Amino acid sequence: MRKVRMSAIVATTVAAAAVVTGCAAGATASPAPAPAAPAHPTQQQIADLFPQWNAALATGDPQRVADLYAPDAVLLPTVSNQVRRTRAEIVDYFTKFLKDKPQGVIEDESVDVLDADTAINTGVYQFTLTKDGKAQLVRARYTYVYELRDGKWLIVNHHSSAMPER
C-alpha cells in the first residue's frame, strides 16, 4: 500500500510540473500593471511651506530653521555675501540673521509644481527686522526650490536678494 501512495504522489507531482511548464512555455505573459504615478502636490501645499519656514524663524533657533534645508542645499541669503553650501554655514547665517527677529510676509508669489517631487516658489517678500530696538523693513526677491525627500519637503536651493530700489 505504501508503494501505491508513493507512486500516486510521484505521478501527481510529475503531472503538475508538466502542466506548470506547459503553461509557462505557451502562455503570453500579460504585463504587470504599472505602479500608480505619485500624486503631484498642489500649488497651495507648496505655498504653505513658507509659513512653516517663517514659523521656524520665529523660534529663534537656527538649528530648527536649518532642519528645513536638505543636507546638500545652497542658500544665497539676503544679508550676507557668502554662499552657504553646508548645514554649518546655513546655521551660521541664521544664527546671525535671527538676532534681528525677522518676520516675513509674502507680497507676491508664483508656485510651479514641476513633478511629484520638485516645486518652486518664487516672488517678493518683505521682512521686518528689529535692530537696536527699531523696526526696519527689507523687501526682497526670493526663490525656494523644494524637493520631496523621505516624505518631507526640503529646501534644496534658496535665493533671496534685497530689492535694488530703496
Side-chain angles (χ1 to χ4, degrees), residues 15-85:
V19 169
V20 169
T21 303
C23 288
T28 55
S30 60
H40 285 44
T42 66
Q43 288 180 329
Q44 188 59 54
Q45 286 171 311
I46 299 305
D48 289 345
L49 296 172
F50 177 80
Q52 293 174 14
W53 180 83
N54 204 30
L57 292 181
T59 69
D61 181 354
Q63 297 288 339
R64 187 144 171 215
V65 179
D67 287 345
L68 301 175
Y69 290 79
D72 57 342
V74 175
L75 170 62
L76 300 165
T78 312
V79 293
S80 171
N81 292 331
Q82 180 185 349
V83 176
R84 311 299 172 123
R85 292 185 178 91

Side-chain angles (χ1 to χ4, degrees), residues 20-159:
V20 169
T21 303
C23 288
T28 55
S30 60
H40 285 44
T42 66
Q43 288 180 329
Q44 188 59 54
Q45 286 171 311
I46 299 305
D48 289 345
L49 296 172
F50 177 80
Q52 293 174 14
W53 180 83
N54 204 30
L57 292 181
T59 69
D61 181 354
Q63 297 288 339
R64 187 144 171 215
V65 179
D67 287 345
L68 301 175
Y69 290 79
D72 57 342
V74 175
L75 170 62
L76 300 165
T78 312
V79 293
S80 171
N81 292 331
Q82 180 185 349
V83 176
R84 311 299 172 123
R85 292 185 178 91
T86 67
R87 180 179 174 91
E89 291 172 341
I90 291 171
V91 168
D92 175 68
Y93 173 74
F94 284 109
T95 298
K96 294 169 185 164
F97 185 61
L98 293 176
K99 289 179 182 178
D100 294 334
K101 298 178 176 54
Q103 296 176 336
V105 176
I106 290 181
E107 294 179 358
D108 181 35
E109 75 180 338
S110 295
V111 173
D112 293 308
V113 175
L114 303 180
D115 57 40
D117 300 325
T118 315
I120 301 171
N121 184 341
T122 187
V124 175
Y125 51 23
Q126 177 177 284
F127 278 91
T128 302
L129 306 175
T130 304
K131 292 188 177 198
D132 301 322
K134 295 181 182 178
Q136 176 185 1
L137 294 179
V138 176
R139 290 184 71 228
R141 298 166 286 202
Y142 71 86
T143 300
Y144 291 92
V145 179
Y146 297 100
E147 281 186 7
L148 185 62
R149 296 190 180 177
D150 295 324
K152 183 176 179 183
W153 285 100
L154 296 175
I155 301 164
V156 294
N157 191 298
H158 177 189
H159 176 214

